[in-house]
Amino acid sequence: MYPFPGSAPVPEEKLKKFRRGVKGELYKLRDVVIRSEAASDLAQKQNARYDLMLPEDAGFLEGDEDEDTCTISQDDIVDAVDITAGAKYFNLTLSQFGPYRLDYSKTGRHLLLGGRRGHVTCLDWQSKQLMCEMNVMETVNDVKWLHSEALFAVAQKKWLYIYDNKGIELHCIRKFNDVLRMQFLPYHFLLATASATGFLQYLDVSVGKEVVAICTKAGRLDVMAHNPHNAIIHLGHSNGTVTLWTPNQREPLVKMLCHQGGVRSVAVDKTGTYMVTSGMDKKLKVYDIRAYRPLQSYFLPAGASCLSLSQRGLLSAATGDIVQVYRDVWGIPVTKPYMAHRAKGSVWGVHFCPFEDVLGVGHGEGFTSMVVPGAGEPNFDGLDANPYRSAKQRQEWEVKALLEKIQPELIGLDPSQLSQVDHSTWEQRHEDRVQVLGFDPLAKEKFTPRLKTKGRSSSGKVEKRKKQVAHEDQRIDKERKEKEKKKAAAAGQKSALDRFRK
Amino acid sequence: MAKSKAARKSGETMKIASSCETVVQGMDDEDDEELQRALADDIISASEDEGGSDDERKHCKLLEAISSLGGKKRKKLTERSEASIQVSEFTVNAEGEGDKINLSDLIGTLDKTPSALIKTKKQLKNLQHNQSTLETPLTRKETEKIQREVAFEKTSKEVSRWQSVVLQNQKAEQLVFPLNQEPSGPKRIEHVVAGWKAQTPLEQEIFSLLRMNKQPLHDPVLTPTEEASLRAMSLEEAKIRRAELQKARVLQSYYEAKAKRGKKIKSKKYHRVQKKVMRKEYLKQFDEMVKTDPAAALEELKKMELSRMKERMSLKHQNSGKWAKSKAIMAKYDDGARKAMQKQLEVNKDLTQKLVIPADEDEEDEEESAETLPDFVNDVEPILDQVNPWMRGKLSTEPMMEESNRLDPPVWPREVGKPGEGQDDQEEDEEQMEETEEESLLRGFEERRKLRQTEDVKVAPMPMVENDDGKKAEILEISDDDEEAVEISDDEEALEVSDDDEEAGLSNFTSLFHGLVNHMEPPADQPKAGPGLCQGESPALLEEGLVRVRTLEDVELLSQDISASDTALLTTQILGTEETDTQSATQQADKKRKKMIDPNEVLTKEAKIIEMPLAPTAVEDVEDKEEQRVIIKEAFAGDDVVSDFLKDKRKQEEAGRPKVIDLTLPGWGEWGGLGLQPSRSKRKRFRVKVAPPPPRQDQKLPNIIITEKRDSSIAAHQVCQLPFPFEKPIQFERTIRSPVGRTWNTQNAVQKITAPKVVTQLGAIIEPIAREDLIKHNRQAVTGPSINLESDQGPQKRRSQQKKKHKRKKN
């Protein structure tokens, strides 16, 4: 009846995006497994089908012939783009209490600035509406938004303080002293702080309790980043190492020797695949942190003091008073920055704004918001971080997020570990069971060759038959792999007739 | 139960009685006689006592009266009041006095009606000879046990009919109660809307067309024929039918396999025998057919006629082929060939023999009467010319053949005798005909043996024979002659066999001969080749020699060279060895160090210099010296950092390695005390080595330290005990790999994935499954209610489905 029966096919690429785990073959419990497989297939397909339609394209700056994009100034860009986009380039001249560190909220609407000499301000940077402004009359080491734009934490000279967006001091947390750097883990509601005394502390902001305080025994901790993929904290040390931490272990999960000098800055990309570090040896290195393998190493003549990675993988590195933006540092080795901008003072903090093509630069003379085409993710997930949400939506989101809060015990190198059975306990239990029963219920039945007549059950023949069956599963596996290899090889080969194919 | 018990009891008594009888019957004849005699004596004595019986009766009555006085009721002894002296229990009166009933007496009557009850007669006879006694009946306990078993089997069979239903319900993803509802799914518009009619002419036309062609009017509905076919057979019927078909197929395949095997057998003998059997069977069948179904027999006859016609038309067996022609040439000299030709002709004749249709017996008789004069009377006198087969072909075989044809189909010529041949041949043939198959086989073997013997005789003198062609030929001829002499067989096959044998013998012979020759050759060749080699091949060898051997001049030159470059060479050699030594040493060291991780290998990634468009404004005015110092510091700092890191790593590795446990106790078996160490052997013996741990994760990563400590915090949240159907973690992990919640899935998918296992309709009465539903359920099970996880439909279809959902769900 219909010209195209059935539902429309879903493109393979999209299906790939929603793939969870891999299918394999199972010989037992077929019914259950097949059903669950069907369910996950259905879920995957529907997810792919109802994925974002007509997503926005992300573009990059493209220069004319023989023109480096890095020579294009911000003014040129502003001239070229529309008014709203042009308004995203602005300077705040705050020369009195600088240099400034900054933080964007998760939705990218709000900006928090903390001047070294005590000036703290937060504003809706797009409408330039000031939410609060104050001076804490103390040294400010770092500022950080908490889960929403209603709360922020300020690491002051002695203690850690928490303010609301009106600038009212809510908490002074005496347990957290001499904090130098902070990172907020949004799905765990954890505020991780690194102090000058070498302590890495976790504060659960949903209940206001310290989760754990770990003495890193690595001296002053002023380099910190977190991996958005698995919520692991990366700390850089003066002996050139970068250590990876969870709140669950008292020692670093991984210790990587990255630089020959001290580490100056660390940044981890959104997918948790790459880590970029810069050190005193004036090198910029890119690591694959799944395999802990160095991918690229660059030499920057002046070294990079601050690093930041955007949602779409642009890297900003501050060298002195110059902010450089690099594109795709982990791919083909780059020789030139994508963009460069000279700030008015020495750069103290850089941060890409989520969902916007904007890079915020805090420096000695205030703050600069510069336009970096192609930096932000153009398609936001409205349920996760909606830049245009109303107050009501924010409240609802808050409740939901709190309900879905992930416990700190679940932080680990492999975030999918929860979907695995606790093997060691299971094995222990199984052993106990075997002892009680007197036999292993899961043991594979030993092959006993059938008795055959007419001399076919001679001991030699029996052995032969046993050998035929031995290691069958391994053999099958091997054969399958070989077959796949062959198939792949065959697929790679081109036939002579392929040239006529369109 | 009571009834059945009674019945059983009566049965038992019957059994006992019969067993008694059989026991009596089972005796030997002599014993029988003795018994009879004894019985007779008893009876006689009883008859003698008859006079006193009246007194006895009175006495009995008296006793009864006395006993009745006692008040207690006694069992009445029933009196027998029959006329006969001997009263049998079995209500069979023996005729003669004191005679015991014999089975033969009973059977005796059977003899008078011979045809009627032969079967029973036989059975009875068997019974008479059967000496075994019947077994005593089982005890009550045992019988009850057996009954229980039987009852259990019966009921379990009855109950197990539900097994499949129960299993299905257990396995089902979703059960919608009440169970036997109308199957959900698309229905015809006619079913849903009562008053719907095709109104517009277009609609009417379309529907009329569809109806005319018996096509489904709506998308998923089956055609009436399909529905009918679905309804036609129940599952069980279908199963039975399928089983039947399977069996038939299997049988067919067995038969085919057998036929194939038979076909592959090369033995001609076997096939001949087989054919014979077939023919016999066929004949039998035909005979029967003549009696029972003359029409079919006629058909068969017609078939035969057809085959005859075909044979006549074809040139088969006409001695016109290549083989026949060659044989015709040979026939002059070779008796065998002649006979073979004759055989061919006979076959032809047999096949082309006109059939006589046994339509009417009268006609047959007439024919017979007409044919009393054999045909060959009219024929030419048989010429005793053995040479000419054509003449012999029309010999007086015909009358006999015709006679035989009346009974037999003319397909087979072998059975028919062949008179009228040359006297000797005839005799021989007759002999052959009489021979059984085995005999002929045996004869064949004998022939072969003889052949082999002759061969042996021929081979034996071979070593003596010189390798002369002429002589060889002679021997060959001799062997041929011998073989010809040996040949006795007249059959074509036999001939062939002998031919084959001959060939085989020949080939054997030749191969043997060749082998001998080859064996002989080498020693003969060598002395011959000796001088030839000396003359012909020596120059080449000499040339080679020239190349290899250095001449005096060369030697001289070399010596000069050596003397000149001697020292230099030596020095270089020594140097070289030294170098290699040092190299090897360094390599070894390298290897060692590799184990320890070379600091040079850490942080080896070459850095690429990036050009900067904007030079950073140097804010601080640093003095050159200071800058240099910083640079130097940076350069030297690196080494320190790396070595520190490596030290750290080594420490970690050491900590991870399990320690050797030393269990030596000083003082046991030897002196102990200050400054005294237990002996080395003891220390070695009591040192428990621990298995090495699995390789570290960072084994191959020089600048990485990964902890080997297990993070146990997540274990609290992980599954450690698998739910019921799962046995291994991998199975369970597979099923929980994709999330279920709304955060990660679409609403529809969540609903489907988390659908309840049991759905009940509000207010509906849920009744247990009735027996009548059993079969229906079985049939329905395939299309039973299930969550459709397969279809990932587009948006429009789903909306309609959701509207239909108005069932209340309940877990």
Side-chain angles (χ1 to χ4, degrees):
Chain A
M1 276 211 172
Y2 308 108
F4 303 106
S7 47
V10 186
E12 196 64 31
E13 275 300 306
K14 274 199 169 176
L15 280 178
K16 219 174 177 180
K17 185 178 162 191
F18 291 97
R19 189 184 291 159
R20 323 236 184 221
V22 277
K23 277 190 200 174
E25 294 210 356
L26 274 188
Y27 303 102
K28 276 189 172 180
L29 274 180
R30 291 192 63 221
D31 278 346
V32 183
V33 173
I34 284 172
R35 204 175 299 156
S36 84
E37 212 92 315
S40 72
D41 270 356
L42 173 90
Q44 181 197 1
K45 239 182 216 173
Q46 290 216 342
N47 280 342
R49 189 181 292 291
Y50 296 103
D51 194 19
L52 281 179
M53 308 272 197
L54 292 175
E56 299 288 335
D57 286 334
F60 289 105
L61 199 63
E62 276 178 29
D64 295 333
E65 287 163 34
D66 303 331
E67 189 191 20
D68 277 334
T69 48
C70 57
T71 56
I72 299 172
S73 70
Q74 286 292 312
D75 295 321
D76 295 341
I77 294 170
V78 169
D79 285 343
V81 297
D82 59 320
I83 259 186
T84 46
K88 284 169 189 170
Y89 168 64
F90 62 91
N91 277 299
L92 298 179
T93 315
L94 307 158
S95 54
Q96 215 177 344
F97 303 105
Y100 279 87
R101 286 190 62 82
L102 73 151
D103 188 36
Y104 284 104
S105 66
K106 204 185 159 199
T107 56
R109 287 287 292 196
H110 303 274
L111 173 69
L112 180 65
L113 290 172
R116 180 106 188 112
R117 291 177 198 135
H119 178 219
V120 175
T121 179
C122 60
L123 63 154
D124 184 342
W125 67 271
Q126 279 175 334
S127 59
K128 314 285 189 307
Q129 252 180 351
L130 193 65
M131 291 159 83
C132 76
E133 188 173 21
M134 60 181 168
N135 198 315
V136 295
M137 309 301 283
E138 253 185 332
T139 315
V140 169
N141 288 323
D142 201 3
V143 287
K144 207 82 196 164
W145 283 112
L146 297 187
H147 57 275
S148 71
E149 55 271 17
L151 294 168
F152 61 85
V154 179
Q156 294 177 18
K157 190 187 173 191
K158 196 84 180 146
W159 318 119
L160 173 71
Y161 289 84
I162 290 180
Y163 298 91
D164 77 348
N165 58 3
K166 299 278 183 301
I168 299 162
E169 182 188 317
L170 298 179
H171 301 288
C172 168
I173 303 166
R174 298 267 161 83
K175 266 192 175 177
F176 290 68
N177 58 327
D178 303 318
V179 175
L180 293 179
R181 289 287 177 270
M182 292 187 290
Q183 286 292 330
F184 185 70
L185 312 176
Y187 299 103
H188 302 78
F189 286 83
L190 287 181
L191 182 72
T193 62
S195 68
T197 53
F199 271 87
L200 172 67
Q201 284 167 295
Y202 285 85
L203 175 74
D204 190 336
V205 297
S206 64
V207 290
K209 269 187 183 169
E210 185 195 39
V211 173
V212 71
I214 304 164
C215 178
T216 59
K217 295 170 199 165
R220 193 181 154 85
L221 304 171
D222 57 353
V223 179
M224 192 185 199
H226 93 271
N227 184 341
H229 178 62
N230 52 15
I232 278 182
I233 297 291
H234 294 229
L235 294 177
H237 304 289
S238 55
N239 59 356
T241 56
V242 171
T243 49
L244 275 58
W245 297 85
T246 67
N248 307 313
Q249 265 184 325
R250 296 261 155 194
E251 56 175 319
L253 298 176
V254 181
K255 197 170 181 183
M256 310 169 68
L257 181 61
C258 295
H259 292 278
Q260 293 199 319
V263 178
R264 289 180 77 183
S265 183
V266 179
V268 183
D269 94 308
K270 199 180 83 178
T271 59
T273 316
Y274 306 105
M275 176 177 76
V276 185
T277 61
S278 72
M280 299 288 273
D281 55 356
K282 296 176 179 177
K283 278 180 183 167
L284 181 83
K285 293 195 176 183
V286 184
Y287 282 85
D288 179 352
I289 43 172
R290 294 171 302 180
Y292 312 111
R293 209 155 45 85
L295 291 177
Q296 303 290 350
S297 174
Y298 302 103
F299 183 79
L300 288 173
S305 59
C306 300
L307 295 176
S308 173
L309 276 165
S310 87
Q311 283 174 325
R312 291 186 55 83
L314 295 187
L315 173 75
S316 71
T319 55
D321 59 347
I322 295 172
V323 179
Q324 302 164 47
V325 181
Y326 295 94
R327 233 174 91 181
D328 199 24
V329 276
W330 37 76
I332 310 150
V334 293
T335 52
K336 274 180 188 174
Y338 167 58
M339 282 180 78
H341 179 72
R342 190 191 293 275
K344 278 171 187 161
S346 64
V347 176
W348 204 248
V350 286
H351 217 289
F352 277 104
C353 178
F355 309 113
E356 292 286 350
D357 290 344
V358 165
L359 173 68
V361 182
H363 47 80
E365 296 298 310
F367 169 80
T368 305
S369 167
M370 59 183 276
V371 178
V372 182
E377 176 66 53
N379 305 297
F380 58 86
D381 180 358
L383 292 174
D384 182 41
N386 186 0
Y388 306 109
R389 68 186 173 192
S390 61
K392 189 82 187 160
Q393 276 174 324
R394 198 204 73 210
Q395 286 162 8
E396 275 174 9
W397 168 85
E398 205 169 351
V399 171
K400 223 175 167 187
L402 278 166
L403 286 174
E404 284 178 355
K405 180 191 145 188
I406 304 170
Q407 291 304 316
E409 292 94 73
L410 299 181
I411 297 175
L413 276 175
D414 180 12
S416 67
Q417 211 183 354
L418 187 64
S419 66
Q420 274 157 13
V421 174
D422 181 13
H423 280 260
S424 55
T425 313
W426 183 79
E427 266 159 29
Q428 187 59 46
R429 270 171 194 262
H430 182 66
E431 265 170 33
D432 293 349
R433 203 166 145 229
V434 167
Q435 224 162 31
V436 167
L437 290 174
F439 67 96
D440 188 357
L442 298 186
K444 211 178 164 190
E445 214 173 295
K446 211 179 165 192
F447 174 69
T448 44
R450 205 164 36 146
L451 184 73
K452 290 187 173 177
T453 50
K454 295 177 184 172
R456 290 177 299 167
S457 253
S458 66
S459 55
K461 291 246 164 115
V462 165
E463 279 309 308
K464 209 176 165 189
R465 263 190 281 161
K466 273 185 189 170
K467 227 172 217 178
Q468 281 169 354
V469 183
H471 313 300
E472 203 169 20
D473 41 353
Q474 286 175 29
R475 218 182 313 141
I476 287 167
D477 219 41
K478 204 176 161 194
E479 273 168 18
R480 206 191 58 214
K481 270 180 191 165
E482 270 171 15
K483 212 182 256 177
E484 274 171 12
K485 230 184 224 174
K486 244 183 213 172
K487 217 178 184 181
Q493 269 180 349
K494 276 189 176 175
S495 90
L497 295 175
D498 276 346
R499 72 187 75 169
F500 301 113
R501 200 167 276 165
K502 273 182 186 176
Chain B
M1 274 303 282
K3 255 189 190 177
S4 67
K5 244 186 193 174
R8 216 189 311 133
K9 271 197 175 170
S10 67
E12 275 172 33
T13 51
M14 284 291 285
K15 261 188 196 170
I16 291 160
S18 62
S19 67
C20 285
E21 217 174 31
T22 46
V23 168
V24 172
Q25 284 158 11
M27 299 277 189
D28 284 356
D29 287 0
E30 290 176 9
D31 293 345
D32 243 3
E33 279 171 12
E34 279 176 16
L35 249 180
Q36 279 172 9
R37 240 173 274 149
L39 278 170
D41 288 348
D42 278 350
I43 290 157
I44 289 162
S45 63
S47 61
E48 278 172 359
D49 290 344
E50 213 179 3
S53 62
D54 270 359
D55 288 350
E56 271 184 13
R57 204 183 292 163
K58 281 175 184 169
H59 178 70
C60 278
K61 276 192 174 175
L62 187 74
L63 280 177
E64 271 179 20
I66 288 162
S67 61
S68 62
L69 281 171
K72 278 178 192 170
K73 274 194 180 177
R74 269 200 169 190
K75 267 188 187 173
K76 270 187 183 177
L77 282 171
T78 47
E79 195 182 346
R80 279 189 177 134
S81 55
E82 264 138 321
S84 69
I85 303 157
Q86 273 291 315
V87 182
S88 160
E89 253 184 301
F90 311 113
T91 67
V92 179
N93 291 342
E95 288 276 314
E97 273 191 0
D99 265 349
K100 185 186 156 279
I101 304 161
N102 248 338
L103 186 62
S104 53
D105 296 336
L106 297 172
I107 298 167
T109 49
L110 289 173
D111 290 331
K112 287 158 200 168
T113 51
S115 61
L117 298 162
I118 296 166
K119 222 181 183 180
T120 42
K121 219 164 129 189
K122 257 189 188 169
Q123 276 178 349
L124 284 168
K125 255 184 194 163
N126 280 340
L127 242 165
Q128 214 165 11
H129 288 293
N130 195 8
Q131 296 180 2
S132 63
T133 56
L134 282 187
E135 284 171 16
T136 50
L138 291 172
T139 59
R140 198 174 136 201
K141 235 184 184 177
E142 279 170 327
T143 47
E144 273 176 359
K145 194 178 168 189
I146 289 166
Q147 277 172 343
R148 275 202 305 275
E149 268 171 23
V150 171
F152 172 76
E153 264 173 33
K154 213 175 164 188
T155 39
S156 62
K157 202 176 172 188
E158 182 77 20
V159 170
S160 67
R161 288 175 67 199
W162 295 92
Q163 192 80 29
S164 62
V165 182
V166 172
L167 248 177
Q168 262 164 15
N169 284 356
Q170 277 176 353
K171 274 187 179 178
E173 299 157 70
Q174 193 177 41
L175 283 176
V176 182
F177 287 110
L179 271 177
N180 41 358
Q181 285 173 329
E182 280 184 18
S184 62
K187 285 173 190 167
R188 295 186 189 201
I189 288 178
E190 289 95 328
H191 293 315
V192 181
V193 187
W196 190 81
K197 259 187 179 179
Q199 284 173 337
T200 61
L202 182 66
E203 276 176 352
Q204 279 165 359
E205 202 174 320
I206 286 167
F207 277 94
S208 67
L209 253 176
L210 286 173
R211 281 215 184 86
M212 272 209 317
N213 294 326
K214 287 198 169 177
Q215 285 300 309
L217 297 182
H218 307 287
D219 183 26
V221 184
L222 301 169
T223 57
T225 47
E226 281 169 335
E227 273 180 353
S229 68
L230 271 181
R231 239 180 283 123
M233 206 180 276
S234 78
L235 184 68
E236 272 162 21
E237 278 172 42
K239 270 183 183 167
I240 291 162
R241 172 108 182 99
R242 192 161 138 259
E244 274 172 6
L245 280 174
Q246 270 177 342
K247 200 178 176 187
R249 236 175 286 138
V250 165
L251 283 176
Q252 194 185 348
S253 74
Y254 285 165
Y255 185 76
E256 274 171 5
K258 201 180 170 190
K260 242 182 204 172
R261 238 184 298 125
K263 214 179 164 189
K264 263 190 185 172
I265 293 170
K266 280 179 181 166
S267 158
K268 283 179 177 162
K269 192 103 224 164
Y270 167 82
H271 284 293
R272 229 178 292 147
V273 171
Q274 206 71 0
K275 257 183 209 165
K276 209 172 186 178
V277 171
M278 293 263 282
R279 242 177 274 132
K280 256 183 192 166
E281 241 167 53
Y282 183 73
L283 252 185
K284 230 183 227 170
Q285 275 182 13
F286 185 74
D287 281 348
E288 269 178 28
M289 215 184 268
V290 167
K291 275 176 200 163
T292 55
D293 191 1
L298 256 181
E299 284 281 305
E300 284 294 302
L301 267 180
K302 267 179 195 167
K303 262 186 211 167
M304 282 174 213
E305 177 67 20
L306 201 74
S307 72
R308 190 186 71 87
M309 274 150 77
K310 270 183 187 164
E311 176 63 27
R312 280 185 61 166
M313 271 152 72
S314 76
L315 287 176
K316 255 187 187 174
H317 309 110
Q318 300 270 31
N319 279 356
S320 57
K322 216 175 182 182
W323 172 84
K325 273 171 192 166
S326 72
K327 286 285 161 189
I329 293 163
M330 289 287 286
K332 248 184 194 175
Y333 316 104
D334 192 359
D335 234 18
R338 223 173 294 139
K339 274 168 191 164
M341 286 193 70
Q342 273 181 1
K343 198 143 275 170
Q344 275 275 328
L345 281 177
E346 271 159 28
V347 167
N348 181 36
K349 202 167 229 176
D350 289 339
L351 288 172
T352 51
Q353 195 72 48
K354 178 110 180 154
L355 286 169
V356 181
I357 303 160
D360 292 329
E361 285 184 17
D362 298 8
E363 280 179 32
E364 226 174 19
D365 285 352
E366 277 173 15
E367 274 175 12
E368 265 188 281
S369 63
E371 280 174 1
T372 40
L373 266 177
D375 266 5
F376 62 84
V377 173
N378 301 331
D379 280 348
V380 193
E381 269 285 294
I383 303 157
L384 294 176
D385 189 3
Q386 294 181 2
V387 182
N388 192 352
W390 303 103
M391 296 309 289
R392 270 182 290 143
K394 279 187 184 175
L395 286 180
S396 57
T397 45
E398 281 171 348
M400 279 182 73
M401 296 274 283
E402 273 181 0
E403 275 174 11
S404 64
N405 274 345
R406 230 154 269 161
L407 288 171
D408 311 343
V411 200
W412 38 305
R414 280 296 147 68
E415 287 233 320
V416 188
K418 290 163 264 180
E421 286 189 14
Q423 295 297 326
D424 301 355
D425 289 0
Q426 210 173 350
E427 278 172 12
E428 268 186 9
D429 276 9
E430 275 168 6
E431 274 174 17
Q432 275 183 353
M433 290 342 287
E434 280 163 14
E435 269 176 359
T436 56
E437 305 289 343
E438 289 155 22
E439 275 172 353
S440 60
L441 251 180
L442 275 174
R443 212 174 48 147
F445 283 133
E446 246 179 330
E447 277 170 19
R448 268 177 226 171
R449 208 180 307 139
K450 269 183 196 169
L451 272 172
R452 222 167 289 142
Q453 276 170 0
T454 51
E455 274 171 29
D456 284 352
V457 168
K458 275 172 248 153
V459 170
M462 271 313 296
M464 311 284 279
V465 178
E466 291 166 294
N467 37 358
D468 260 346
D469 284 3
K471 276 225 169 180
K472 189 177 153 194
E474 273 177 22
I475 287 157
L476 281 176
E477 279 171 67
I478 289 162
S479 71
D480 274 359
D481 287 352
D482 281 1
E483 267 158 18
E484 276 175 356
V486 164
E487 278 172 25
I488 313 162
S489 60
D490 305 272
D491 279 332
E492 206 184 334
E493 284 84 5
L495 246 176
E496 279 175 10
V497 165
S498 65
D499 279 348
D500 285 354
D501 277 2
E502 202 175 84
E503 279 170 18
L506 263 174
S507 63
N508 278 344
F509 167 74
T510 45
S511 65
L512 257 174
F513 176 76
H514 280 304
L516 271 171
V517 167
N518 286 340
H519 196 71
M520 294 286 281
E521 263 176 358
D525 275 355
Q526 274 174 353
K528 264 188 198 171
L533 266 173
C534 289
Q535 290 162 7
E537 290 177 57
S538 55
L541 279 171
L542 276 173
E543 275 174 5
E544 268 186 292
L546 270 173
V547 172
R548 278 180 198 161
V549 177
R550 281 180 285 191
T551 55
L552 273 173
E553 292 166 0
D554 283 330
V555 171
E556 275 175 10
L557 276 170
L558 269 171
S559 64
Q560 278 174 1
D561 279 355
I562 287 165
S563 59
S565 61
D566 207 352
T567 48
L569 255 174
L570 268 173
T571 48
T572 48
Q573 271 179 352
I574 289 159
L575 273 173
T577 50
E578 276 174 358
E579 272 175 7
T580 49
D581 278 356
T582 49
Q583 273 174 7
S584 63
T586 48
Q587 275 173 2
Q588 278 180 353
D590 277 356
K591 268 183 192 171
K592 266 190 185 173
R593 235 193 243 167
K594 250 181 200 175
K595 252 190 177 174
M596 307 292 288
I597 302 172
D598 185 7
N600 298 332
E601 281 189 6
V602 185
L603 298 175
T604 49
K605 194 91 189 169
E606 286 223 354
K608 288 195 181 68
I609 299 164
I610 295 175
E611 299 163 19
M612 279 219 292
L614 306 171
T617 47
V619 184
E620 309 104 316
D621 293 325
V622 189
E623 283 179 351
D624 281 5
K625 276 185 184 176
E626 250 194 23
E627 212 176 74
Q628 273 182 354
R629 201 184 295 157
V630 167
I631 288 166
I632 288 161
K633 220 180 184 181
E634 274 174 11
F636 281 95
D639 254 357
D640 209 6
V641 162
V642 171
S643 62
D644 278 355
F645 184 81
L646 289 181
K647 239 182 244 166
D648 196 9
K649 181 161 182 173
R650 218 164 300 144
K651 212 189 271 173
Q652 288 249 357
E653 278 172 2
E654 284 298 320
R657 219 167 278 153
K659 274 153 199 145
V660 176
I661 306 162
D662 198 3
L663 292 173
T664 45
L665 287 173
W668 280 93
E670 57 197 4
W671 288 105
L674 262 178
L676 279 175
Q677 276 255 322
S679 70
R680 210 172 143 210
S681 60
K682 199 179 176 186
R683 267 183 290 158
K684 220 175 194 180
R685 199 174 155 201
F686 287 102
R687 188 169 284 181
V688 180
K689 276 187 183 171
V690 188
R696 283 179 69 89
Q697 279 178 289
D698 54 11
Q699 201 182 22
K700 286 173 183 173
L701 300 165
N703 53 341
I704 308 287
I705 301 170
I706 302 173
T707 51
E708 295 290 315
K709 269 188 191 166
R710 195 173 84 92
D711 182 7
S712 57
S713 62
I714 199 172
H717 299 271
Q718 277 177 324
V719 174
C720 59
Q721 211 170 5
L722 301 180
F724 158 61
F726 301 101
E727 281 180 336
K728 286 178 183 172
I730 191 168
Q731 295 168 336
F732 185 64
E733 281 165 11
R734 280 282 300 284
T735 54
I736 59 164
R737 74 190 159 92
S738 51
V740 177
R742 281 166 214 281
T743 318
W744 301 275
N745 293 315
T746 59
Q747 180 73 13
N748 196 263
V750 171
Q751 264 181 6
K752 275 184 177 173
I753 291 166
T754 60
K757 189 138 197 324
V758 174
V759 176
T760 50
Q761 238 178 343
L762 193 66
I765 299 165
I766 299 167
E767 278 168 352
I769 307 173
R771 185 185 284 272
E772 298 90 63
D773 295 341
L774 195 81
I775 296 163
K776 208 204 261 173
H777 191 88
N778 271 348
R779 204 186 294 170
Q780 207 184 38
V782 187
T783 58
S786 64
I787 306 150
N788 187 10
L789 286 176
E790 303 303 325
S791 76
D792 157 49
Q793 292 161 330
Q796 316 99 352
K797 280 187 183 176
R798 198 165 314 109
R799 212 165 296 136
S800 63
Q801 272 190 354
Q802 277 173 346
K803 268 181 199 167
K804 272 179 199 166
K805 272 197 179 172
H806 39 68
K807 280 167 194 160
R808 202 183 118 105
K809 282 173 188 175
K810 181 183 164 188
N811 264 322

